Structures are given as structure tokens and as C-alpha cells.
Amino acid sequence: MENLKLVDAFTDFVEESTLPYRQMMTYYNCALMEVETKFKVLNEQFSLFYDRNPIESIHTRIKSQSSILKKLQKKNLALTIPNIENNLFDIAGVRVVCAFTEDIYSLVNSFLSQDDVRLIEKKDYIQNPKENGYRSLHLIVEIPIFLSDEKKWIKVEVQFRTIAMDFWASLEHKIRYKKNLSKERLDEIDKELLECAQICKTLDEKMEEIKTGN
Ligand code: GTP
Ligand code: MG
């Protein structure tokens, strides 16, 4: 009996002390739902006008506890809620995979012109691919979530890719992060992956040409 009381007290203690963390994660989850809905709405409207869906898929994810910890350590920051909120901008992540590169720019324009979306940062790795060949358009935005008694602005990272860019990035991640590869093998892989990135870019351009009939 005495033991059970102790277990209850411990459970209460854990729940109480982790409440601010769980609350913050709930806010990020709500922000993800808001952003996902915005893209679903844009997809519907686009398909009404153009008779096709620009969005192939939307994935959302919350950064795992271990990734949060690793990133804070990398930045030499202690594990505190303000440190997470003020320094990690990809706790809530959305990936929007589009059919064509052109669709990405239309979606980004429509999304950023909404008056409850604040742009914090934009990285266009489509115009300026990374050295390894990575292409995608990244936004960090802030959007409001409406709670019972307040409005809170929450940061969300949105990555836009075509199917070909997503294909390359997914496989590159799987291949590149394999353990126990020699330096020579890694250099070889990097070279081959860069070639594949070029092929994906050509594919995107070709598909766009076929669509527009040029
Ligand atoms: P981190 O957020 O710490 O990665 O640094 P950053 O904010 O400078 O990175 P950036 O905005 O360039 O990229 C953030 C995210 O984009 C990563 O977490 C990946 O999801 C994706 N990404 C960036 N570069 C690559 C790459 O070379 N390969 C793959 N597969 N994904 C990448
Ligand atoms: Mg980042």
C-alpha cells in the first residue's frame, strides 16, 4: 500500500516536472496541423483551377528528444525550454513534395502572402544547390496558434521538393550515413551522388518542358 502511494507520488512528480516540455511540444504539434491544413487548402484550390494537384505528399514530424539534445550540445547550449524555443527552428518540420519545380514557387508565394505567416528565413537550394548536389527550398516561418486564452507564434521549418529532389535526398541520406566506409569510398560515393543529383535536375527540367509543351 505504502509502495503504491510512493509510485503515485513519483508519477505526479514526473508529470508535473515535464509539463512545460510537453506543453511546448503540444504547441509545435498544433503549429504542424495549422501549416499542413494551409497546404491542403492551397492544393484543393489549385486543383480546382488547373485540374491537377501540385502537391504529391505532405509529411510532418516533430524532432525527436535525442536530436533536440544533440543539436543543443552542438550549439553549446543547456537543455532549457527557452534555449529550445529561441535557438532550434526545426522542432516542427513539414515536407511538401510537389510534382513540378514551378509548383514549388507558386506554393511558396501563396503561402508567404498569407497574413498570418511570418517569414524568418528562406534558403533556396534549388536556385543554389548545395555542393553535394542537394536541392530543396527551405523556409523557417512563424505562425500563430490560438489557445483558449492566448495566441502564440510558433516556428516551423518547411521543406519543398519535387519528387526527383525527394528521391535523391532520401537515398543520399541512406547511402551517405552508412557506417564504416573508408575515406576513398566516401569520396567515390560523393562523386556518384553528385552525378545522380544532376540527372534528377535534368529529369525535373525535362518533365517541366513536357508539361508546358516546349
Ligand atoms: P541543420 O538544421 O543543423 O541541419 O543546419 P541548417 O539549418 O544550416 O541546415 P539546412 O537548412 O541547410 O538543412 C536542414 C535540413 O535540410 C536537414 O535537417 C535535412 O533534412 C535537409 N538537408 C540539408 N542538407 C541535406 C543534404 O545534403 N542531404 C539530405 N538528404 N538532406 C539535407
Ligand atoms: Mg535547420
Side-chain angles (χ1 to χ4, degrees):
M1 197 62 191
E2 201 51 29
N3 262 350
L4 269 181
K5 268 192 195 154
L6 268 176
V7 170
D8 278 352
F10 188 72
T11 310
D12 285 351
F13 165 76
V14 170
E15 289 207 338
E16 244 170 64
S17 50
T18 58
L19 184 64
Y21 181 82
R22 287 183 290 122
Q23 199 170 32
M24 174 183 67
M25 285 307 177
T26 304
Y27 296 158
Y28 281 117
N29 240 321
C30 295
L32 279 183
M33 290 192 281
E34 292 280 353
V35 172
E36 185 172 11
T37 303
K38 282 178 180 294
F39 286 114
K40 284 184 172 164
V41 169
L42 289 173
N43 201 33
E44 285 295 312
Q45 197 214 6
F46 191 103
S47 64
L48 197 66
F49 286 124
Y50 301 103
D51 222 14
R52 67 174 183 85
N53 293 317
I55 299 179
E56 288 293 316
S57 63
I58 308 175
H59 302 278
T60 60
R61 71 103 184 87
I62 290 282
K63 207 175 185 68
S64 69
Q65 283 179 10
S66 64
S67 301
I68 291 176
L69 203 56
K70 268 191 217 145
K71 206 156 184 180
L72 283 175
Q73 280 169 348
K74 211 171 108 189
K75 289 176 182 268
N76 259 323
L77 293 167
L79 176 57
T80 67
I81 286 175
N83 274 353
I84 295 175
E85 286 181 330
N86 299 328
N87 297 282
L88 307 192
F89 299 164
D90 61 346
I91 302 289
V94 181
R95 185 167 293 150
V96 182
V97 178
C98 294
F100 299 99
T101 310
E102 198 191 14
D103 297 337
I104 293 178
Y105 289 100
S106 315
L107 278 174
V108 167
N109 275 339
S110 308
F111 178 61
L112 290 180
S113 60
Q114 297 183 3
D115 57 18
D116 57 349
V117 177
R118 287 184 188 158
L119 176 64
I120 308 290
E121 184 189 88
K122 181 175 174 181
K123 288 187 195 164
D124 189 345
Y125 297 124
I126 300 174
Q127 289 286 322
N128 305 297
K130 282 195 166 180
E131 248 179 56
N132 63 356
Y134 177 77
R135 292 185 309 134
S136 275
L137 195 149
H138 294 183
L139 300 179
I140 307 285
V141 295
E142 244 181 3
I143 60 138
I145 58 164
F146 295 88
L147 303 162
S148 54
D149 53 352
E150 64 170 327
K151 171 170 143 185
K152 250 184 105 64
W153 287 86
I154 307 289
K155 291 193 179 65
V156 178
E157 180 183 84
V158 192
Q159 299 181 347
F160 298 86
R161 297 174 178 172
T162 60
I163 304 165
M165 294 173 199
D166 192 49
F167 164 77
W168 183 92
S170 301
L171 298 200
E172 184 258 3
H173 189 73
K174 288 204 174 81
I175 297 167
R176 190 70 183 74
Y177 298 96
K178 251 190 173 175
K179 291 186 182 92
N180 307 324
L181 293 172
S182 68
K183 168 87 176 65
E184 288 86 58
R185 183 67 195 119
L186 275 177
D187 288 347
E188 225 171 74
I189 288 176
D190 285 349
K191 195 168 152 269
E192 280 167 339
L193 283 171
L194 187 59
E195 277 170 32
C196 290
Q198 189 53 53
I199 297 170
C200 290
K201 182 169 183 272
T202 309
L203 262 177
D204 271 336
E205 287 164 358
K206 187 83 194 151
M207 289 295 186
E208 194 102 41
E209 270 173 35
I210 298 171
K211 172 175 70 84
T212 49
N214 292 325

